[in-house]
Amino acid sequence: GAVVSQHPSWVICKSGTSVKIECRSLDFQATTMFWYRQFPKQSLMLMATSNEGSKATYEQGVEKDKFLINHASLTLSTLTVTSAHPEDSSFYICSALARETQYFGPGTRLLVL
Amino acid sequence: SQQGEEDPQALSIQEGENATMNCSYKTSINNLQWYRQNSGRGLVHLILIRSNEREKHSGRLRVTLDTSKKSSSLLITASRAADTASYFCATDPTGANSKLTFGKGITLSVRP
């Protein structure tokens, strides 16, 4: 149990376009989900906390207008990278909180050309 | 600044040997967790140790926590090639598991 999926697993886009990444909890409901960003050979950096039915809480230095988060249901949170630029290329990982444990998705690799 | 700092940054061992990885942190914690990440994949939760615990076991994993030194170690015994991955420690200051701070990770290579 406690499986989290992400879609897509990888995406390549042109600079200036927007990209939406989905995070789903498949077999449980999660009122809280988290979005992380990971650069190559680096640690995970928390970007924002997504709460179902309310606005996301962004970490310091993360532009909320750049990274739009929508947690519309108890099993789905989406991260939209708006007007993506090459510096947004990274590995984005979500997690869902259940029973005081974070369950992580497999990640989405974004490459902006 | 990073809360958790693991060492060594990279470790290469022979299959069957034990692997010891260390993590140091700076501020007070409720618990410390270890995760594994296979290349290009998400994280898998391995083990959680609370601030009032000193040692915990799970299968071939043994975790210790020394709050006076603000450090933890992860021991993998009888390593296997499948243990090859990156390992991260993460600290949780409140126990709500909502503000995890991850270290930079240790890359473990187990040679068959």
Side-chain angles (χ1 to χ4, degrees), chain B residues 47-108:
Chain B
I47 196 164
L48 179 153
I49 186 164
R50 301 189 190 283
S51 60
N52 61 354
E53 297 175 310
R54 291 296 168 260
E55 188 172 311
K56 205 163 182 180
H57 297 256
S58 177
R60 293 185 297 114
L61 305 180
R62 173 178 169 253
V63 169
T64 62
L65 179 64
D66 186 333
T67 53
S68 66
K69 295 181 179 178
K70 290 186 167 59
S71 68
S72 172
S73 69
L74 171 67
L75 169 67
I76 303 175
T77 60
S79 65
R80 305 167 182 169
D83 294 328
T84 295
S86 293
Y87 291 81
F88 295 87
C89 68
T91 53
D92 179 3
T94 65
N97 217 331
S98 59
K99 277 283 189 178
L100 295 182
T101 302
F102 286 83
K104 292 182 181 178
I106 299 168
T107 301
L108 173 66

Side-chain angles (χ1 to χ4, degrees), chain A residues 8-40:
Chain A
S9 55
W10 59 271
V11 56
I12 302 174
C13 69
K14 293 182 180 179
S15 188
T17 60
S18 294
V19 175
K20 180 186 283 188
I21 303 170
E22 295 184 348
C23 177
R24 292 181 185 273
S25 55
L26 297 184
D27 51 1
F28 66 100
Q29 293 182 331
T31 54
T32 303
M33 293 185 176
F34 304 91
W35 286 96
Y36 294 85
R37 184 173 180 175
Q38 184 181 31
F39 290 105

Side-chain angles (χ1 to χ4, degrees), chain A residues 35-39 41-47 91-95 102 104-105, chain B residues 2 35 37 41-43 88-90 100-105:
Chain A
W35 286 96
Y36 294 85
R37 184 173 180 175
Q38 184 181 31
F39 290 105
K41 300 190 184 301
Q42 296 287 322
S43 182
L44 277 73
M45 299 299 295
L46 179 65
M47 298 175 66
F91 192 54
Y92 293 87
I93 305 176
C94 73
S95 70
Q102 286 195 34
F104 286 81
Chain B
Q2 210 84 39
Y35 288 82
Q37 183 181 35
R41 305 297 298 272
L43 272 70
F88 295 87
C89 68
L100 295 182
T101 302
F102 286 83
K104 292 182 181 178

Side-chain angles (χ1 to χ4, degrees), chain A residues 4-8 19-26 28-36 47-58 67-80 92-97 105 108:
Chain A
V4 176
S5 70
Q6 280 184 242
H7 179 79
V19 175
K20 180 186 283 188
I21 303 170
E22 295 184 348
C23 177
R24 292 181 185 273
S25 55
L26 297 184
F28 66 100
Q29 293 182 331
T31 54
T32 303
M33 293 185 176
F34 304 91
W35 286 96
Y36 294 85
M47 298 175 66
T49 302
S50 168
N51 295 295
E52 187 268 338
S54 64
K55 291 182 179 180
T57 304
Y58 290 82
F67 299 99
L68 300 179
I69 291 172
N70 187 341
H71 195 152
S73 78
L74 288 172
T75 59
L76 174 64
S77 175
T78 60
L79 168 68
T80 301
Y92 293 87
I93 305 176
C94 73
S95 70
L97 189 63
T108 296

Side-chain angles (χ1 to χ4, degrees), chain B residues 11-17 79-81 84 109-112:
Chain B
L11 182 62
S12 180
I13 60 174
Q14 198 72 35
E15 201 166 28
E17 294 180 338
S79 65
R80 305 167 182 169
T84 295
S109 298
V110 181
R111 303 185 302 273

Side-chain angles (χ1 to χ4, degrees), chain A residues 78-100:
Chain A
T78 60
L79 168 68
T80 301
V81 183
T82 62
S83 187
H85 290 284
E87 58 265 30
D88 298 323
S89 298
S90 190
F91 192 54
Y92 293 87
I93 305 176
C94 73
S95 70
L97 189 63
R99 300 183 297 276
E100 299 182 339

